[in-house]
Amino acid sequence: MNSKPPVPRHIAIVMDGNGRWAKARHRPRSFGHDAGRKAVREVVEGCLRHGVEALTLFAFSSENWQRPQAEVGALMTLFLRALDKETDELHAQGVRLRFIGDLDRFEAPLRERMLAAMQRTAGNHKLQLNIAVNYGGRWDIVQAARQAAQAIARGELRAEDMDEATLGRFISLGDLPPLDLFIRTGGEYRLSNFLLWQAAYAELHFTDTLWPDFDQTCLRRAIDDFGHRERRYGRTGEQIATGHQG
Ligand code: IPE
Ligand code: IPE
Ligand code: MG
């Protein structure tokens, strides 16, 4: 028998439920987004404590631009403030910060701060913290296909040599450990266009807890849940039990 259940190397979270959390308190939705910052700190601390190597958080989807302008504006202000306030602490903790998504759509001050935070923390290795903003899983596959096509046009790659590993290198986070655990808070059972490629063999964990209430205990529960899953990758349970033979 193995002694300790495995800890996921890479966790992704759809941080959902801020609006409902605020509504239950008769406050504006932006109040819920603000409250969600504490939960981000909690999961970062938790991942550092458990030795998780990479954490990828869905902060703003490519579809979220369709929300009322006031809410989008409040979210942008929150991102700016959070970047100014949290980057020092993250850097001190040895966290490497990366933003994934189409950053071109953001206004210059925000984009510049994101790039500066990425550059500043680029040498850190304790935890890879990836924040998905203006991100969509289909966009990610399209941008990878475009990069691959450009490499073919330059003569650096042959179309016949294109395979999953080759395209996978152009997909966001292709240099990180594969996604092990995909968590969604807020009680919905859908992916909402997050990490479609990367989630191919991730274990899924859904919880009704609204994002602002998600804390280290909730994270531990998800990690424990993961530790007891049997990951078969298409094989049989018997093959897994006997070390993949036969
Ligand atoms: C998730 O919370 C945060 C973002 C999408 C930015 P929601 O704002 O979607 O909260 P609910 O789902 O309406 O409760
Ligand atoms: C997904 O949540 C996006 C983020 C958490 C950033 P949504 O609240 O936007 O997802 P849907 O609309 O319920 O699918
Ligand atoms: Mg939502």
Side-chain angles (χ1 to χ4, degrees):
M1 245 212 60
N2 285 339
S3 45
K4 261 192 178 168
V7 169
R9 295 179 68 193
H10 186 172
I11 298 179
I13 310 182
V14 178
M15 310 185 288
D16 196 23
N18 297 348
R20 281 163 283 164
W21 187 91
K23 195 173 178 201
R25 285 158 184 77
H26 310 284
R27 302 295 296 268
R29 295 177 57 85
S30 58
F31 183 69
H33 298 315
D34 265 325
R37 264 172 68 180
K38 184 168 154 282
V40 172
R41 269 184 241 117
E42 288 268 320
V43 292
V44 168
E45 294 284 342
C47 285
L48 285 165
R49 178 177 299 176
H50 291 285
V52 172
E53 293 165 58
L55 172 66
T56 303
L57 302 175
F58 205 5
F60 192 84
S61 75
S62 37
E63 291 75 30
N64 287 147
W65 295 106
Q66 300 172 71
R67 293 194 177 193
Q69 222 186 324
E71 182 171 347
V72 172
L75 278 164
M76 295 303 140
T77 308
L78 171 70
F79 294 153
L80 259 179
R81 243 191 294 138
L83 264 172
D84 284 346
K85 278 203 180 160
E86 313 286 351
T87 308
D88 284 349
E89 167 86 13
L90 291 169
H91 188 43
Q93 289 172 309
V95 174
R96 177 178 180 184
L97 192 57
R98 256 196 268 186
F99 293 90
I100 59 163
D102 186 359
L103 304 188
D104 289 343
R105 176 116 187 233
F106 295 104
E107 290 190 8
L110 183 51
R111 201 173 53 240
E112 280 156 18
R113 279 202 192 51
M114 290 193 267
L115 294 175
M118 284 197 266
Q119 271 172 8
R120 186 159 165 228
T121 61
N124 295 340
H125 299 287
K126 265 265 178 64
L127 172 68
Q128 307 284 315
L129 174 60
N130 313 298
I131 313 282
V133 285
N134 191 23
Y135 178 88
R138 287 182 173 174
W139 165 84
D140 200 353
I141 294 167
V142 169
Q143 69 78 25
R146 189 184 305 123
Q147 284 194 61
Q150 286 164 345
I152 291 169
R154 286 194 302 267
E156 297 162 8
L157 186 67
R158 295 179 344 150
E160 318 68 284
D161 294 336
M162 268 288 277
D163 56 13
E164 290 185 16
T166 309
L167 188 60
R169 280 194 282 277
F170 294 108
I171 298 269
S172 301
L173 313 178
D175 58 322
L176 295 184
L179 182 60
D180 285 322
L181 175 60
F182 183 110
I183 300 174
R184 182 172 187 140
T185 65
E188 311 290 356
Y189 300 93
R190 54 177 171 259
L191 306 185
S192 297
N193 199 17
F194 191 37
L195 302 177
L196 297 180
W197 175 283
Q198 298 88 335
Y201 257 112
E203 296 296 323
L204 308 179
H205 177 93
F206 296 99
T207 169
D208 289 338
T209 303
L210 303 173
W211 178 247
D213 292 326
F214 197 87
D215 60 12
Q216 290 196 40
T217 307
C218 303
L219 180 70
R220 177 186 296 257
R221 212 172 285 144
I223 291 176
D224 286 348
D225 180 18
F226 171 84
H228 294 94
R229 303 280 180 94
E230 183 179 67
R231 304 184 84 190
R232 291 193 288 275
Y233 298 100
R235 297 172 194 266
T236 67
E238 288 71 23
Q239 286 177 302
I240 302 300
T242 56
H244 298 179
Q245 280 113 30

